[in-house]
Amino acid sequence: DAGVTQSPTHLIKTRGQQVTLRCSPKSGHDTVSWYQQALGQGPQFIFQYYEEEERQRGNFPDRFSGHQFPNYSSELNVNALLLGDSALYLCASSFRQEQFFGPGTRLTVL
Amino acid sequence: QKEVEQNSGPLSVPEGAIASLNCTYSDRGSQSFFWYRQYSGKSPELIMFIYSNGDKEDGRFTAQLNKASQYVSLLIRDSQPSDSATYLCAVVRSNDYKLSFGAGTTVTVRA
């Protein structure tokens, strides 16, 4: 049984560019959440998708947007990248309360 | 006041000892509590969750929850060098879906 998968593993972009990160949830899970983790900090909640709708959103600007597909996979899009967007982006999937994280995408903005 | 607070550490314990990690939360209506382990350069791994007051044991790990004191802890018995990692406490508040994390406590188990 495959766990949560994310792609790509690493990404380097320059300021002002746009990026799309992808996540496939664990089999049987219907909910996907996205988190941003800066070095030395706990993950910060970006948003959660359930039934292809954004169910809850954290304190992130509109530059951060997402999507969930009918097969429950999800994308995170970030527009107009800033240096401060450099972080580890984590996808977590769940069926009930317990959230399981994927390996993450390390984004570096130069 | 932060939603979730943890001792930043680092916490150094000898091999075979008990590591005790503490976490406090601000929202009295919080309903679900999780402990994640994160190795350097890796993603968080769920190791324990607890929803009711009291103790919950799983192998060498014990989670303790005291809702009246807004306190949750994690005990690691017979600590091993492989337990060296950052431990993240996370809380789900009532009527909420997101995990709110503390900054983590770094544990080093010395042989």
Side-chain angles (χ1 to χ4, degrees):
Chain A
D1 177 26
V4 183
T5 60
Q6 292 186 243
S7 63
T9 305
H10 295 89
L11 206 50
I12 299 175
K13 292 286 188 178
T14 57
R15 281 178 298 174
Q17 286 190 310
Q18 178 265 345
V19 68
T20 297
L21 310 182
R22 295 178 176 82
C23 172
S24 290
K26 188 177 171 68
S27 177
H29 288 185
D30 59 2
T31 303
V32 172
S33 305
W34 287 92
Y35 294 81
Q36 180 196 67
Q37 187 176 25
L39 204 59
Q41 298 182 21
Q44 297 295 311
F45 176 75
I46 302 175
F47 40 56
Q48 185 182 91
Y49 278 85
Y50 173 69
E51 293 188 342
E52 302 179 51
E53 297 287 332
E54 184 184 286
R55 178 157 71 174
Q56 186 176 2
R57 188 179 182 90
N59 295 325
F60 279 80
D62 292 345
R63 299 187 296 109
F64 290 77
S65 63
H67 189 78
Q68 185 179 34
F69 300 94
N71 67 353
Y72 307 120
S73 67
S74 177
E75 289 182 349
L76 164 65
N77 300 292
V78 187
N79 295 323
L81 285 167
L82 304 174
L83 296 179
D85 294 331
S86 294
L88 179 66
Y89 287 85
L90 296 161
C91 166
S93 78
S94 57
F95 175 65
R96 292 192 173 88
Q97 294 249 22
E98 300 88 43
Q99 296 188 24
F100 297 87
F101 285 92
T105 295
R106 174 74 60 186
L107 173 65
T108 301
V109 182
L110 303 177
Chain B
Q1 183 182 10
K2 292 181 180 180
E3 291 184 46
V4 182
E5 296 203 57
Q6 298 180 247
N7 294 335
S8 60
L11 177 65
S12 180
V13 298
E15 186 173 357
I18 296 175
S20 178
L21 308 172
N22 302 320
C23 173
T24 58
Y25 57 94
S26 59
D27 185 349
R28 184 169 292 278
S30 297
Q31 58 185 7
S32 306
F33 307 86
F34 304 86
W35 284 99
Y36 287 84
R37 176 176 63 198
Q38 187 171 27
Y39 292 114
S40 180
K42 302 296 185 182
S43 64
E45 174 192 7
L46 180 63
I47 54 172
M48 289 288 290
F49 56 89
I50 186 167
Y51 302 143
S52 303
N53 274 331
D55 294 359
K56 179 181 179 181
E57 186 174 317
D58 184 0
R60 295 186 295 110
F61 298 100
T62 299
Q64 300 174 315
L65 175 61
N66 184 327
K67 289 187 177 180
S69 300
Q70 296 175 236
Y71 173 93
V72 58
S73 66
L74 179 70
L75 300 177
I76 308 173
R77 292 183 302 281
D78 189 23
S79 295
Q80 301 297 309
S82 60
D83 294 326
S84 298
T86 296
Y87 290 79
L88 296 162
C89 172
V91 172
V92 175
R93 302 185 307 178
S94 58
N95 302 316
D96 215 3
Y97 298 104
K98 70 176 185 182
L99 292 168
S100 297
F101 282 90
T105 298
T106 298
V107 173
T108 300
V109 180
R110 54 186 192 275

